[in-house]
Amino acid sequence: MPAMLKKGEFVGSLDCGTTSVRFIIFDKYAQIIAQHQLEFPQYYPNPGWHEQNPLEIQAHAEACIEQTIKSLAASGYRKDSVKVIGITNQRETAFVWSRKTGKPLCNAIVWDDSRTKNLVAHYEHVLQTKGLEVASGIWKKGQEGIDALREIAGLPLSTYFSATKVRWMIDNYPEVAQAHANDDMCFGTLESWLVYNLVGGVKKGLHVSEMSNAARTLLFNTTTLNWDPMLFKFFGLRQSIVGDVVSTSQTYGHIAGGSLKGVPIGGLVGDQQAALIGNKCLSKGEAKCTYGTGAFLLFCTGNEIVKSSHGLLSTVAFQPGPNSKPVFALEGSISSAGSAITWLKDSMHMISSSAQVNDLAAQEPTSGGVYFVTAFSGLLAPYWDSSATGLLIGITQYTNPSHIARATLEATAFQTRAIIESMVLDSGKAVANLKVDGGMTNGDLAMSILADLNGTEVIRPEMRESTALGSALLAGSAIGLFGWDLTRPETLSEVNTKGTRTFKPEMAASIREKKWTNWQRAVERSRGWEAGIDEEEEEDLLG
């Protein structure tokens, strides 16, 4: 039977998100040839905490690859039809492991975990009082210190980014502290951990950090495009814990075992940057938003870093090769998008599946005056308020579950508008339309609400696995497969060209603006509810 299998030319993508991992095999047109997806366990040991087991993620990733190769064979193709794979991953989630054993030192702390808010408050106090050493003997403190940190890293202090998560691990887990003290600790985001294991683990010892992921740690300098020694010093971390910074598209190594043994890994990229690439937003002024667990809007600024003064992040979008200039983006993130729908399903039992939220919301023409600020773990861009909490307001005896479902969909649309308005102010360029992907975009009502409340056309492709496609394009480009070259967008002209659907705004502008004003009032009421405490300062005051 195996002798009858055909040999094709395909590219694979290992897409490791927040709740699941999948492996997808694409052809040169981005048609899916085979795929498999597995959810992995999530752990919530305390309120606001979110953890994952690194070994479970790795096992699920490898199982997905094997199952997809079986599906590929069932479709009539040999496993050596897969010429290269790319990896895309949830960003900011912090993984630490032993250099000597290759084993995890503790569970990973996930990007949306808010346990470090007191630590963030501590470092905010340090910036105000002692400051940040920006060069040997040169300090900036107060607002200058805050601005200097953002200027160097492109990011504000937040529970969201990796550095404070790693610092918390060292402060709270003796085994991590000991490994750090003994220079036996490796830290990386998920792409680091996956590559380390896929190419041979401790035997190979390959420790790399891809640039778009490194730029989300608060330890990376967006000007020098490398790790910044002063940021490691600020957070009290050894620089030896991180791997070498690598580009987004190159051959990093070869898979050490399993059905794809010997296949090169040619693309690594954070999931939101991957979706930007998968939507082919490769030129300045193009924007996309991915609606998954959270929502992430990226606006391509080309080879120029645009420093935001309106609450957005300046981030690396991708570097198309080791010797290529990087492409940058402005990014705005919403912490709770699909996760708010999951809350309706799992905690409130209003729906039995996430897809049902659109049907429930469609039973009412409006939200009945209800507004839902979905700040389950604070507010991200453009507010950056970790002390904000979730808020349902406007509830009366008239309110029913359909109103709340509709308010949940509207919450994501309102937060998208807040980010788009900031992007326009920072870039001086209007967003003509918004390309979208991710699980939430499957709902037509959710997309109609998004178009209505933003007054912008929303474009949804038929094949919406944009994140996986992005890493596949990077991997193919690394080895010249299909003639793909990210520096020449015209080489991707045949990729994912099947039909799209455009949702146009139909809501009257006066109603849109009234609802926007009410949303802003609701946001203000949600803010400052759970302020972080600098525990060290509190201890000093208490004596």
Side-chain angles (χ1 to χ4, degrees):
M1 178 73 76
M4 297 172 62
L5 296 178
K6 298 174 288 185
K7 186 174 182 180
E9 257 195 333
F10 305 129
V11 56
S13 173
L14 184 60
D15 179 358
C16 293
T18 304
T19 59
S20 69
V21 58
R22 65 185 119 188
F23 188 65
I24 302 178
I25 296 173
F26 295 100
D27 68 9
K28 67 182 295 185
Y29 305 107
Q31 295 182 98
I32 295 174
I33 306 302
Q35 64 177 316
H36 191 69
Q37 180 173 358
L38 291 170
E39 292 190 353
F40 53 85
Q42 310 293 317
Y43 302 98
Y44 304 95
N46 289 296
W49 292 31
H50 185 185
E51 298 181 358
Q52 293 165 351
N53 183 316
L55 295 177
E56 289 177 346
I57 294 179
Q58 186 65 34
H60 281 70
E62 292 174 6
C64 261
I65 291 173
E66 294 304 316
Q67 190 57 51
T68 306
I69 296 304
K70 289 181 181 177
S71 298
L72 183 67
S75 298
Y77 290 99
R78 290 161 41 178
K79 64 184 181 182
D80 61 358
S81 298
V82 179
K83 303 304 180 185
V84 64
I85 76 161
I87 297 173
T88 181
N89 58 283
Q90 53 166 309
R91 305 168 305 167
E92 294 100 17
T93 299
F95 293 75
V96 294
W97 65 95
S98 164
R99 200 185 315 277
K100 292 177 184 173
T101 69
K103 301 296 184 185
L105 293 167
C106 63
N107 274 352
I109 298 180
V110 182
W111 60 272
D112 62 353
D113 182 292
S114 60
R115 75 182 70 183
T116 62
K117 62 187 173 187
N118 290 345
L119 198 56
V120 168
H122 164 69
Y123 283 112
E124 287 172 343
H125 179 68
V126 170
L127 284 175
Q128 289 287 349
T129 55
K130 184 180 179 183
L132 172 68
E133 188 176 14
V134 295
S136 183
I138 301 174
W139 293 77
K140 292 190 176 182
K141 69 178 183 178
Q143 189 59 47
E144 279 194 348
I146 293 168
D147 292 344
L149 177 68
R150 187 153 191 160
E151 180 71 21
I152 295 167
L155 310 171
L157 266 175
S158 170
T159 60
Y160 188 29
F161 307 111
S162 312
T164 56
K165 301 178 193 298
V166 177
R167 184 68 253 174
W168 190 95
M169 291 172 174
I170 294 169
D171 292 342
N172 290 273
Y173 296 139
E175 57 272 39
V176 180
Q178 184 176 355
H180 184 253
N182 295 340
D183 201 16
D184 181 40
M185 174 179 157
C186 293
F187 152 67
T189 43
L190 182 50
E191 91 292 352
S192 274
W193 172 247
L194 290 168
V195 170
Y196 176 82
N197 286 282
L198 285 171
V199 303
V202 70
K203 291 180 182 178
K204 186 78 173 177
L206 180 66
H207 186 195
V208 296
S209 289
E210 180 275 324
M211 189 177 289
S212 73
N213 279 290
R216 311 294 296 186
T217 61
L218 268 176
L219 299 170
F220 184 83
N221 187 313
T222 55
T223 302
T224 65
L225 301 176
N226 213 330
W227 302 117
D228 191 284
M230 293 305 177
L231 294 178
F232 283 86
K233 188 175 181 180
F234 179 71
F235 290 107
L237 302 172
R238 289 176 177 266
Q239 193 166 334
S240 59
I241 66 176
V242 293
D244 295 332
V245 176
V246 293
S247 81
T248 319
S249 180
Q250 65 183 79
T251 299
Y252 314 96
H254 296 77
I255 297 175
S259 296
L260 294 184
K261 184 177 181 180
V263 172
I265 301 172
L268 299 175
V269 65
D271 52 7
Q272 302 315 318
Q273 287 91 335
L276 189 75
I277 297 163
N279 276 299
K280 296 192 284 187
C281 295
L282 305 176
S283 302
K284 185 175 181 178
E286 295 180 313
K288 73 87 201 177
C289 194
T290 299
Y291 294 94
T293 304
F296 305 88
L297 204 158
L298 268 72
F299 178 93
C300 184
T301 61
N303 297 124
E304 175 192 6
I305 303 177
V306 175
K307 300 293 185 181
S308 175
S309 55
H310 297 91
L312 302 179
L313 306 180
S314 306
T315 196
V316 175
F318 59 95
Q319 185 187 20
N323 301 313
S324 300
K325 286 184 177 181
V327 174
F328 296 93
L330 283 171
E331 176 174 339
S333 305
I334 301 166
S335 60
S336 299
S339 60
I341 297 171
T342 302
W343 179 78
L344 291 182
K345 174 173 68 78
D346 294 343
S347 298
M348 304 308 290
H349 307 293
M350 289 185 180
I351 50 178
S352 57
S353 71
S354 294
Q356 287 180 357
V357 70
N358 288 273
D359 297 331
L360 181 59
Q363 293 174 21
E364 293 287 352
T366 72
S367 65
V370 174
Y371 292 82
F372 186 8
V373 183
T374 54
F376 295 128
S377 51
L379 287 168
L380 298 181
Y383 312 102
W384 295 106
D385 187 351
S386 59
S387 67
T389 58
L391 175 72
L392 265 170
I393 197 165
I395 297 172
T396 66
Q397 286 183 316
Y398 170 73
T399 303
N400 63 44
S402 296
H403 292 129
I404 293 172
R406 198 172 189 101
T408 304
L409 297 180
E410 289 185 350
T412 300
F414 284 129
Q415 291 177 84
T416 300
R417 174 168 173 173
I419 292 169
I420 288 177
E421 289 196 351
S422 294
M423 286 181 171
V424 171
L425 290 169
D426 279 330
S427 68
K429 191 174 178 67
V431 177
N433 55 57
L434 186 62
K435 295 179 180 178
V436 297
D437 61 84
M440 273 189 76
T441 66
N442 293 329
D444 289 354
L445 179 61
M447 294 300 96
S448 295
I449 289 172
L450 181 63
D452 277 343
L453 294 181
N454 280 274
T456 303
E457 287 189 354
V458 173
I459 300 173
R460 184 181 69 185
E462 184 177 304
M463 199 293 291
R464 295 192 282 280
E465 298 294 351
S466 304
T467 303
L469 178 58
S471 76
L473 291 174
L474 290 164
S477 182
I479 65 167
L481 190 66
F482 310 133
W484 291 348
D485 182 349
L486 286 183
T487 64
R488 295 166 52 226
E490 65 273 14
T491 65
L492 310 178
S493 62
E494 294 184 331
V495 174
N496 200 19
T497 56
K498 282 193 174 181
T500 59
R501 178 170 175 186
T502 300
F503 295 85
K504 296 184 178 182
E506 297 178 354
M507 180 180 285
S510 59
I511 296 174
R512 179 186 306 123
E513 294 312 307
K514 182 179 180 182
K515 289 178 73 67
W516 174 239
T517 299
N518 286 339
W519 164 259
Q520 291 174 301
R521 291 171 61 210
V523 167
E524 284 306 308
R525 283 161 172 76
S526 77
R527 300 184 71 170
W529 187 258
E530 276 195 354
I533 299 167
D534 178 358
E535 292 172 332
E536 288 187 18
E537 182 188 15
E538 185 180 46
E539 287 173 9
D540 290 343
L541 291 171
L542 293 173

